[in-house]
Amino acid sequence: MKRTIMISDIHGCIDQLNQMLHLIQFNSIDDQLILLGDYVDRGPNIKAVVDKVIELVTEHHAIALRGNHDQ
């Protein structure tokens, strides 16, 4: 059975995002990842988060929604 994984409010925290994906053992073959927005604003590494979101969408078929901080 395929898991549906939802993550929101990353806010530029690339280390925490990578740790979370590692801890849950994200696998794009077995999982559907849905990113619920708020990738930017406040955090220490916004560019790395945006790059990771793009990678997850283009290479791992994640769905990325836009949050209010991403407007």
Side-chain angles (χ1 to χ4, degrees), residues 2-58:
K2 197 169 201 169
R3 295 187 301 174
T4 300
I5 300 165
M6 296 182 211
I7 300 174
S8 68
D9 297 283
I10 299 165
H11 289 293
C13 296
I14 189 65
D15 293 336
Q16 291 84 347
L17 174 60
N18 287 329
Q19 288 172 359
M20 185 180 308
L21 292 172
H22 177 74
L23 285 171
I24 64 172
Q25 299 177 356
F26 170 67
N27 177 339
S28 60
I29 295 170
D30 297 325
D31 302 325
Q32 174 63 67
L33 178 62
I34 303 173
L35 302 168
L36 299 173
D38 291 349
Y39 314 110
V40 302
D41 195 19
R42 300 187 187 124
N45 206 338
I46 292 167
K47 182 179 181 332
V49 167
V50 171
D51 290 343
K52 183 70 173 187
V53 169
I54 291 169
E55 172 195 327
L56 290 167
V57 168
T58 58

